[in-house]
């Protein structure tokens, strides 16, 4: 992470021209519209040290899994899989921290550190409020029992972690949820495991398409309603009041993120426990719930400054009313899908589409469609790329452990 992405030492507002805080940086327009680099340009500009570090990290985990398989130590490999899953949960936290707080920081409704702390606490609480999404994730594939099944689960999570790290590095708000599902499905296909395609289609693919469309449309209508209701109000007074309201909507968004994303990791750990006979898959153990909630909260507090810049500054110019409309709409969608349909939707897709929706109320050109195109490209690539990496990891570990 470069120095310009690091959080400031003091969280107070500052003059954007002086570059005092992250909030100021997020609202500062130092680049003309359309100047954002394409995905290929970002790859070429990336420091070469990133790729060896990522490769070494993956190699270390793969070799550790292979060693465990050779030693035939099922408990040791199960622990390793749980650690890998919690590692994914942590990367999910700092990868998706921007989902909850980018708009609040960019409009200066909250200081960066206060926003991160609030998001971490609300993620922790949200993770404790349900397990239905976790059960859905655990039903995506039926892996073999024993060590072979653990290999499949570990490979799926490693595929998701790899894609998370790549998209985080380039500041692209891709979906950790779909990376995880893609990784598990990829490992399942590579291992000839039974994949519940009906669950993938009904609970993942269809919501993946519907949730961004619904977010865009609903956020657009909510913003139109706000503009109409406050059409004769004093702009300065409205802005101050919406800063307070946005603090609440950001907390609601963080709660929804915890409700959705922590449960996905719970589902993976339950899947690993089922393959080794430690669970029947009907319930989620309390220690799994608490550990996943804690890992997500810690990752969130670590922050996702790169992605925060993309969501908070590069898509549209946000003000407190727009931020409130985007966050409140996204929160409602997250709660409905978790409690009514039990579908593991992407918080990233949802909040990004809501931000685009509120921006479109000004004029369509207010949304920087070049940046939006980069984001959509990452969305489309997420599931197949995570699946491909997971399949490669499975073949490597299975080869060494055979």
């Amino acid at each position: 992470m470069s120095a310009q992405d690091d959080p400031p030492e003091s969280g107070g507002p500052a003059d954007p021209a002086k570059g005092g805080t992250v909030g100021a940086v997020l609202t500062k327009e130092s680049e003309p519209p359309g100047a954002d680099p394409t995905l290929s340009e970002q790859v070429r500009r990336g420091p070469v040290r990133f790729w060896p570090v990522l490769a070494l990290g993956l190699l270390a985990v793969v070799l550790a899994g292979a060693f465990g398989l050779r030693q035939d130590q099922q408990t040791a490999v199960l622990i390793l899989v749980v650690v890998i899953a919690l590692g994914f949960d942590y990367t999910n936290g700092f990868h998706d921290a921007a989902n909850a707080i980018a708009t609040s920081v960019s409009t200066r409704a909250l200081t960066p550190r206060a926003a991160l702390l609030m998001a971490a606490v609300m993620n922790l609480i949200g993770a404790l409020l349900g397990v239905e999404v976790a059960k859905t994730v655990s039903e995506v594939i039926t892996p073999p029992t024993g060590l072979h099944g653990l290999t499949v689960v570990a490979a799926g999570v490693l595929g998701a972690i790899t894609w998370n790290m790549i998209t985080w590095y380039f500041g692209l708000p891709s979906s950790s949820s779909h990376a995880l599902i893609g990784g598990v499905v990829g490992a399942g296909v590579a291992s000839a495991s039974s994949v519940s395609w009906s669950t993938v289609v009904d609970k993942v693919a269809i919501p993946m398409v519907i949730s961004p469309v619904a977010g865009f449309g609903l956020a657009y209508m909510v913003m139109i309603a706000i503009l109409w209701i406050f059409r004769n109000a004093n702009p300065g007074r409205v802005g101050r009041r919406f800063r307070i309201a946005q603090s609440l909507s950001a907390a609601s968004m963080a709660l929804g993120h915890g409700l959705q994303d922590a449960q996905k990791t719970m589902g993976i750990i339950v899947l690993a426990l089922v393959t080794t006979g430690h669970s029947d898959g009907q319930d989620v153990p309390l220690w799994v719930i608490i550990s996943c909630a804690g890992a997500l909260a810690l990752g969130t507090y670590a922050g996702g400054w790169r992605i925060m810049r993309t969501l908070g500054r590069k898509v549209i110019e946000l003000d407190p009313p727009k931020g409130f409309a985007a966050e409140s709409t996204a929160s409602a969608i997250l709660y409905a899908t978790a409690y009514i349909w039990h579908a593991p939707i992407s918080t990233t897709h949802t909040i990004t589409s809501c931000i685009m929706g509120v921006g479109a109320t000004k004029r369509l050109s207010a949304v920087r469609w070049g940046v939006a195109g980069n984001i959509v490209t990452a969305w489309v690539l997420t599931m197949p790329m995570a699946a491909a990496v997971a399949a490669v990891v499975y073949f490597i570990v299975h080869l060494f452990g055979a």
Side-chain angles (χ1 to χ4, degrees):
M1 186 180 296
S2 60
Q4 68 185 23
D5 293 319
D6 291 335
E9 289 300 322
S10 60
D15 184 357
K18 297 178 182 178
T21 68
V22 170
V25 172
L26 289 171
T27 55
K28 176 182 176 183
E29 278 302 308
S30 58
E31 301 171 356
D36 300 286
T38 63
L39 284 174
S40 59
E41 289 171 341
Q42 293 180 59
V43 171
R44 288 196 296 270
R45 296 178 187 180
V48 294
R49 67 176 179 272
F50 168 75
W51 305 107
V53 169
L54 178 62
L56 288 174
L58 286 173
L59 181 62
V61 176
V62 169
L63 290 178
F67 177 77
L69 287 171
R70 278 211 176 273
Q71 297 301 311
D72 196 30
Q73 297 174 346
Q74 181 169 288
T75 302
V77 179
L78 175 61
I79 293 173
L80 178 63
V81 171
V82 171
V83 170
I84 293 173
L86 293 177
F88 167 80
D89 209 22
Y90 181 85
T91 65
N92 190 354
F94 75 70
H95 187 276
D96 288 0
N99 294 344
I101 63 176
T103 57
S104 300
V105 173
S106 68
T107 61
R108 301 187 189 182
L110 293 171
T111 62
R113 293 192 185 281
L116 279 174
L117 180 60
M118 177 274 296
V121 172
M122 297 307 291
N123 269 328
L124 180 64
I125 296 173
L128 303 175
L129 296 182
V131 295
E132 293 303 322
V133 173
K135 293 179 181 178
T136 298
V137 172
S138 67
E139 296 169 356
V140 169
I141 67 169
T142 304
T145 58
L147 292 173
H148 190 193
L150 291 176
T151 305
V152 176
V153 176
V157 179
L158 285 172
I161 291 175
T162 302
W163 186 248
N164 263 4
M165 295 300 294
I166 292 173
T167 52
W168 164 81
Y169 181 77
F170 292 119
L172 295 173
S174 69
S175 169
S176 296
S177 307
H178 296 145
L180 184 61
I181 300 296
V184 170
V185 170
V189 171
S191 63
S193 299
S194 174
V195 178
S196 177
W197 293 110
S198 61
T199 300
V200 173
V201 172
D202 295 341
K203 299 291 189 179
V204 181
I206 292 177
M208 179 176 70
V209 176
I210 292 178
S211 59
V213 175
F216 186 97
L218 290 175
Y220 182 90
M221 290 188 288
V222 169
M223 192 63 213
I224 290 293
I226 290 175
L227 291 172
W228 187 83
I229 293 171
F230 295 96
R231 63 189 182 281
N232 297 322
N234 180 276
R237 184 176 301 172
V238 169
R240 288 191 295 272
R241 290 178 177 175
F242 268 103
R243 279 193 175 90
I244 298 174
Q246 197 182 356
S247 300
L248 299 177
S249 65
S252 176
M253 178 69 196
L255 186 72
H257 178 248
L259 179 65
Q260 274 279 345
D261 284 42
Q263 288 194 52
K264 294 155 191 170
T265 306
M266 295 178 201
I268 293 300
I269 295 178
V270 168
L271 191 60
L273 294 175
V274 169
T275 63
T276 56
H278 290 85
S279 172
D280 58 5
Q282 299 301 312
D283 299 302
V284 180
L286 181 61
W287 69 267
V288 174
I289 297 174
I290 293 175
S291 59
C292 289
L296 185 70
L298 289 174
T300 299
Y301 190 67
W305 303 100
R306 290 178 182 271
I307 297 172
M308 198 186 305
R309 288 167 59 85
T310 299
L311 284 180
R313 177 170 68 88
K314 292 184 178 180
V315 177
I316 66 166
E317 284 299 307
L318 287 171
D319 54 29
K322 288 187 177 69
F324 171 80
E327 290 173 341
S328 57
T329 304
S331 300
I333 293 174
L334 292 176
Y335 297 150
T337 52
Y339 285 119
I340 299 175
W341 293 289
H342 309 156
I345 70 165
S346 167
T347 56
T348 307
H349 288 196
T350 305
I351 186 60
T352 306
S353 61
C354 289
I355 291 174
M356 293 178 185
V358 299
T361 59
K362 183 177 180 181
R363 61 182 185 278
L364 288 177
S365 60
V367 178
R368 291 175 190 151
W369 296 106
V371 178
N374 279 350
I375 294 172
V376 171
T377 301
W379 288 357
V380 172
L381 291 175
T382 291
M383 288 189 70
M385 291 300 294
V389 174
V392 171
V393 172
Y394 167 78
F395 284 125
I396 294 174
V397 175
H398 190 61
L399 177 64
F400 277 93

